[in-house]
Amino acid sequence: MALSIRPINPKRDDFVAEVTGLDIAAGVSKAVAEEIEDAINRYAVLVFPEQRVNDDQQYVFSTHFGPMETATGDIAAQGDRRLSMDINDISNLDKNGQVLQRDDRRRLFGLGNMLWHTDSSFKATPAKFSLLSARTIPGEGGNTEFADMRAAWDDLDPKTQADLMPLVAEHSQLYSRGLLGFDQFTDEERAKWAPVPQRMVRRHPGSGRLSVFLASHAGTIQGWPIPEARMFIRDLTEHATQREYTYAHRWRQYDLVMWDNRAVMHRARRYDHTQPRDMHRTTVADCAPTLEQPL
Ligand SMILES: [Fe+2]
């Protein structure tokens, strides 16, 4: 099987590629992993169709790309978890495999995934890559959309670029969930998810490209009045998620999609909440907090 990597986004040929000619479950060589990392540096989102992986195989594949995160961003209490702490549970299922009730706290918290975000920007060291495997998908809906933060940066006017360059935002899951009116946090969760600083502009170490670093977790900008900061973040998000910068992935069972959180935002879309949707995510951590990375 020869590895094949080809762009599939009709709007931009440097954003989203499909990768075939490998069997992730069987394991990949270091050389193949390096080709994949080169490709994600260029395309930011990679789609691997028909990868029937279990959690262990997905995890082993992910370890080629850096240190792994644990699922400390999930809300379910330890005894309540369906999956191991190595796997982020992006499903609407309880630990017995039953669909969560409409008003279940875990489900309501999970709706935050429908806001544009980057994974784990609420952690001091945010996520580098996310790898999401579609085990069970609903009949319709439930797409994942991606927005290219490099293109969004390139198209900003020079004045806004200059304004943004030194800015540092504060990110927390308390902010993103607050946007939806969800505030049922325990004291332990409030402490765990205290805001962390993140640069608003990043330089990608693989491509050298600059990007806007945004997420619905961003609740303020250091040194700014909160309403002004939130208005600016909202304006930037509106700019960065215009149709021309986005790609909608329509899931097929056994798709595995890998994206670069340093270069894109993403969001889930609505689906029938009475149908099971079971997605398993492994997450590769970045090398350091964004403020410690060269701009
Ligand atoms: Fe996400």
Side-chain angles (χ1 to χ4, degrees):
M1 273 194 298
L3 191 69
S4 161
I5 300 169
R6 60 178 188 94
I8 55 168
N9 180 3
K11 288 187 277 191
R12 289 175 183 266
D13 66 5
D14 63 349
F15 179 42
V16 192
E18 184 176 78
V19 186
T20 54
L22 79 172
D23 180 1
I24 292 174
V28 303
S29 66
K30 191 160 178 281
V32 166
E34 282 170 4
E35 279 190 71
I36 291 169
E37 185 141 0
D38 285 348
I40 204 166
N41 285 343
R42 175 176 167 83
Y43 296 109
V45 180
L46 301 177
V47 177
F48 302 80
E50 197 55 40
Q51 298 291 340
R52 298 179 186 231
V53 289
N54 63 30
D55 288 353
D56 289 342
Q57 292 158 344
Q58 182 178 342
Y59 188 86
V60 168
F61 175 66
S62 306
T63 60
H64 281 286
F65 307 103
M68 299 297 292
E69 273 192 11
T70 51
T72 52
D74 288 2
I75 200 168
Q78 190 61 58
D80 228 12
R81 284 193 67 83
R82 189 172 66 99
L83 307 175
S84 90
M85 281 301 285
D86 291 330
I87 308 288
N88 281 92
D89 188 353
I90 316 291
S91 77
N92 59 352
L93 305 175
D94 67 17
K95 66 178 176 184
N96 301 313
Q98 300 298 306
V99 173
L100 296 171
Q101 295 295 310
R102 188 172 191 179
D103 61 354
D104 190 286
R105 180 173 179 267
R106 291 164 290 179
R107 173 176 179 270
L108 300 180
F109 179 83
L111 292 177
N113 288 326
M114 297 174 66
L115 298 167
W116 285 109
H117 66 285
T118 50
D119 287 331
S120 301
S121 71
F122 54 84
K123 295 183 179 179
T125 295
K128 178 185 178 189
F129 298 146
S130 296
L131 298 93
L132 192 57
S133 161
R135 310 292 173 85
T136 305
I137 54 173
E140 61 180 307
N143 288 355
T144 299
E145 294 182 349
F146 297 91
D148 187 345
M149 296 297 103
R150 308 161 303 173
W153 168 267
D154 291 344
D155 291 349
L156 280 174
D157 62 275
K159 165 81 170 71
T160 308
Q161 288 182 338
D163 289 347
L164 265 173
M165 200 55 99
L167 295 180
V168 176
E170 301 260 340
H171 291 232
S172 169
Q173 295 210 102
L174 308 179
Y175 293 140
S176 48
R177 271 52 188 185
L179 293 172
L180 300 181
F182 180 100
D183 56 4
Q184 311 157 24
F185 295 104
T186 63
D187 290 344
E188 189 190 339
E189 286 161 354
R190 285 181 196 282
K192 180 169 75 167
W193 294 327
V196 297
Q198 303 291 0
R199 274 189 204 287
M200 295 192 74
V201 181
R202 306 185 65 172
R203 186 176 293 282
H204 193 285
S207 66
R209 294 182 69 176
L210 291 169
S211 64
V212 198
F213 192 53
L214 290 171
S216 57
H217 308 306
T220 191
I221 298 171
Q222 288 183 353
W224 284 42
I226 286 178
E228 191 179 357
R230 291 202 181 167
M231 196 59 244
F232 190 39
I233 290 165
R234 182 178 287 217
D235 259 357
L236 287 167
T237 303
E238 231 172 72
H239 160 74
T241 56
Q242 295 175 83
R243 282 281 158 229
E244 60 186 293
Y245 307 133
T246 65
Y247 166 79
H249 184 67
R250 191 188 180 102
W251 291 93
R252 299 151 297 193
Q253 192 180 24
Y254 307 124
D255 276 349
L256 186 144
V257 176
M258 175 174 178
W259 63 90
D260 189 335
N261 289 291
R262 302 167 301 179
V264 299
M265 281 207 288
H266 63 281
R267 66 172 177 179
R269 303 297 280 152
R270 289 184 78 219
Y271 62 96
D272 178 352
H273 73 91
T274 64
Q275 291 192 31
R277 181 178 190 260
D278 188 11
M279 321 284 281
H280 294 206
R281 195 186 88 204
T282 42
T283 316
V284 180
D286 206 348
C287 57
T290 52
L291 282 163
E292 294 172 22
Q293 296 182 35
L295 185 59

